[in-house]
Amino acid sequence: QTSLPLLHSPDESGLMVLGRDDGTQVSSPSSRKDPSLLPFPRPPLPPSLSRAKRYLFQLSTLESALRIPPLDHQLGNHVVHLLVQRNGAASEVLSELLEVPQELMVRLIWFGAVYYCPVPPLPRSATPTGSRDPQDAAVIPRCQSASTAGGDVHRDGQLVELQAIRQEALAKWGRHSRHQTPRRLDSDQALSRGGYLRVHMHPKRFPVAHALSHEQWSRRLLAVRPDHVVVNKPPGLQVPPTVDNVQESLLACVEKALSLKPGSLHPAHRLDAGTEGVVVLARDAAFASYFRGLMANKFQHAVRKQYKCLVSQAPPLGPLVHWILEDQRRQGEMAHSVVVPEGTAGAARCELWVEQVEQTELNAEAVDLWGAKEACEVTITLITGRTHQVRVQMAAIGLPLLGDRLYTALASKCQHQRWGQSEGGVEQRQQQEQGWGEDEKQQQGAPGRVQDWCLPALMQPLAPIALQAHSLTVLEDGKMGPGPMSFAAGNPWWRTTI
């Protein structure tokens, strides 16, 4: 039997994946079936595409990746790219290609971790200069050639064969983008021979989605109206689905709590996974457009947002202004914002107001997480709204939020140019920046390697951050009611359990 992932990229995150055993071979589920029940024979692939390449890990690893409730740690990315070798149901085709039980593939499809299109794409490295067809410049994804026990697949020969399969599919399906763009499977649908599959074998998991009871979710619903829902999001949960998991997002949890059809809710705005607090979810496109317009109108200040956070020392009361570059990312880094001098090209102005500082005793869960029995709880009103604004501005004055591994690491590396206030700060920052540059030079030339300073944040991406979107107030009359209309999350989780 022939079963082949055409293009394969194990552990794209660069992190070690638990349970790896490259030598393990899992018996094919098709070999345990009654031959009379097998579908029609599959045509063989070209020789260079027919080298067997099964799921690379122990079967128990895949079972662990898909278990409910989930593990308390992430297994790391493992993405497989496949050519469909015969017509058939997605779970059956995947089971045969990867030689894993079909029921696990059904679960993977349920998670939303499988993408399909009937016309296979070419690797981005092959387009547009590597393709004779100029229209191939638009096709997807960035993939890596597979390695096998017999050596590397010959890229040139592989591309020639893939182009032939692609041309056959184009002749059948046409060039419309819907046939060439991988889309998430929402059911165990029928696939066509020659199509393309992208499979996220180890979905990112969110244990908190299973930790709260129906009653606890009900208490977190702050408003339920015909065109929107306001909810107090718990920390450790993303608002929208991830690329590989539609079942454990805030949207899915609220839909289940309200007995709504999947896909009924859409994010009107977002909070970081580790942040708790007020989130507005839209139930129709008109409300989503309305609310986003309110949020985008920075000059009218139609929406007022107040946050609470924990830091080790009290910051000064009053305004705090910085200029930042958003969505900064070098090779091997997580996306982050960086404080820069005023006048830097592309920099955005950030302003918040420190309203109140209170010494607060922490509950047992917070003490266990951060090792501190008390901390300074800071109440902040946002004047502007930027990515990671509270996190980056507090780190910029030397007070990163408790639990914020990303900006604590950035502050220690002095990625922010102006955060120290001491007399020796400038010389110290220069020395640290020089050391940072040397670290980067040492890590260049190691493609895919994660920068060391990112590792703490990457290893625990869902760990709670001491940040709560405490309240959201709409100041004008509109779809949310007569203004001012305010929604409050209540006491932060580090004080008491909701």
Side-chain angles (χ1 to χ4, degrees):
Q1 296 187 14
T2 302
S3 56
L4 167 77
L6 169 66
L7 297 168
H8 187 72
S9 51
D11 189 20
E12 292 184 339
S13 68
L15 297 177
M16 180 179 68
V17 180
L18 300 180
R20 178 161 188 161
D21 184 353
D22 292 350
T24 298
Q25 298 295 325
V26 181
S27 60
S28 171
S30 61
S31 65
R32 298 191 295 270
K33 295 181 180 178
D34 184 339
S36 65
L37 301 179
L38 289 176
F40 51 85
R42 290 167 289 161
L45 284 175
S48 66
L49 294 183
S50 62
R51 296 177 182 175
K53 193 69 175 178
R54 303 174 180 89
Y55 179 63
L56 293 180
F57 307 95
Q58 293 180 350
L59 183 58
S60 60
T61 300
L62 182 57
E63 293 170 341
S64 296
L66 303 179
R67 61 174 287 189
I68 293 177
L71 299 172
D72 59 1
H73 58 272
Q74 304 295 328
L75 293 182
N77 293 340
H78 180 66
V79 183
V80 180
H81 307 273
L82 305 165
L83 275 183
V84 179
Q85 298 178 24
R86 67 168 181 88
N87 298 339
S91 64
E92 293 180 359
V93 171
L94 286 168
S95 176
E96 293 171 7
L97 288 172
L98 297 171
E99 299 200 351
V100 296
Q102 184 178 347
E103 56 268 25
L104 294 180
M105 296 299 94
V106 171
R107 178 61 62 87
L108 206 59
I109 294 169
W110 177 80
F111 270 110
V114 180
Y115 290 72
Y116 167 74
C117 61
V119 178
L122 296 178
R124 187 171 297 171
S125 59
T127 59
T129 57
S131 172
R132 298 179 181 178
D133 187 344
Q135 297 193 52
D136 283 343
V139 295
I140 30 188
R142 182 182 169 197
C143 305
Q144 298 175 353
S145 294
S147 294
T148 67
D152 291 339
V153 173
H154 297 293
R155 177 176 291 272
D156 292 343
Q158 187 185 48
L159 288 177
V160 169
E161 293 156 3
L162 178 55
Q163 285 172 331
I165 296 171
R166 174 175 164 77
Q167 291 304 316
E168 181 181 345
L170 286 171
K172 178 179 179 180
W173 296 96
R175 290 190 173 276
H176 196 285
S177 61
R178 69 174 177 270
H179 299 312
Q180 303 185 57
T181 304
R183 300 183 186 281
R184 195 195 306 262
L185 296 185
D186 57 8
S187 64
D188 192 4
Q189 70 180 56
L191 307 183
S192 296
R193 176 180 175 267
Y196 164 77
L197 286 164
R198 187 181 79 235
V199 190
H200 299 258
M201 301 297 293
H202 300 162
K204 186 176 182 180
R205 302 300 304 277
F206 297 85
V208 72
H210 306 274
L212 301 182
S213 67
H214 181 81
E215 181 182 355
Q216 288 173 311
W217 274 111
S218 297
R219 291 202 298 268
R220 286 184 172 271
L221 299 177
L222 306 179
V224 180
R225 295 174 182 164
D227 56 2
H228 68 277
V229 176
V230 185
V231 61
N232 178 18
K233 183 185 86 69
L237 196 62
Q238 285 198 182
V239 176
T242 62
V243 69
D244 51 14
N245 189 342
V246 298
Q247 300 296 337
E248 296 174 345
S249 65
L250 178 68
L251 298 181
C253 290
V254 175
E255 287 167 352
K256 292 172 186 175
L258 293 173
S259 299
L260 298 176
K261 180 181 177 182
S264 299
L265 298 176
H266 307 277
H269 64 126
R270 302 185 183 188
L271 288 180
D272 294 333
T275 302
E276 179 191 43
V278 180
V279 177
V280 179
L281 306 178
R283 299 180 73 166
D284 58 50
F287 179 85
S289 177
Y290 159 77
F291 189 80
R292 288 168 186 163
L294 289 181
M295 297 286 284
N297 194 340
K298 307 296 184 184
F299 299 103
Q300 295 297 322
H301 299 292
V303 178
R304 183 173 63 218
K305 294 191 290 184
Q306 193 173 76
Y307 282 75
K308 289 185 180 290
C309 64
L310 290 179
V311 292
S312 58
Q313 300 177 32
L317 299 178
L320 192 60
V321 178
H322 292 93
W323 292 81
I324 70 167
L325 293 173
E326 298 177 274
D327 196 25
Q328 300 299 293
R329 190 202 305 255
R330 302 176 189 176
Q331 183 177 2
E333 292 183 346
M334 298 176 64
H336 57 279
S337 296
V338 179
V339 171
V340 294
E342 182 179 353
T344 300
R349 186 177 187 274
C350 285
E351 182 178 0
L352 58 78
W353 198 280
V354 178
E355 303 278 2
Q356 178 181 337
V357 180
E358 178 183 357
Q359 195 74 12
T360 301
E361 185 175 344
L362 306 185
N363 63 21
E365 182 182 358
V367 172
D368 184 57
L369 274 174
W370 302 322
K373 294 184 178 181
E374 58 180 30
C376 293
E377 185 177 278
V378 184
T379 302
I380 288 171
T381 297
L382 286 186
I383 308 302
T384 60
R386 309 293 182 190
T387 304
H388 297 172
Q389 181 174 334
V390 175
R391 297 168 62 184
V392 69
Q393 286 200 265
M394 297 307 291
I397 61 171
L399 296 174
L401 308 188
L402 270 61
D404 190 350
R405 293 169 174 81
L406 177 62
Y407 286 98
T408 297
L410 277 168
S412 68
K413 285 291 186 180
C414 280
Q415 286 296 285
H416 305 286
Q417 295 183 9
R418 297 176 180 271
W419 67 272
Q421 301 297 327
S422 64
E423 293 183 1
V426 173
E427 181 179 357
Q428 184 180 11
R429 286 196 300 275
Q430 289 175 343
Q431 292 174 353
Q432 290 178 330
E433 286 168 357
Q434 289 172 1
W436 171 257
E438 290 302 317
D439 290 344
E440 277 199 327
K441 290 178 182 177
Q442 292 174 7
Q443 294 195 28
Q444 288 176 354
R449 179 176 176 181
V450 178
Q451 295 284 0
D452 288 344
W453 70 268
C454 286
L455 286 174
L458 279 170
M459 295 303 290
Q460 294 182 300
L462 303 180
I465 296 171
L467 181 63
Q468 182 199 54
H470 181 66
S471 67
L472 183 148
T473 303
V474 179
L475 299 176
E476 61 182 41
D477 297 347
K479 288 180 175 291
M480 299 187 76
M485 178 66 64
S486 187
F487 306 92
N491 284 333
W493 68 266
W494 54 79
R495 280 193 171 192
T496 183
T497 302
I498 295 178

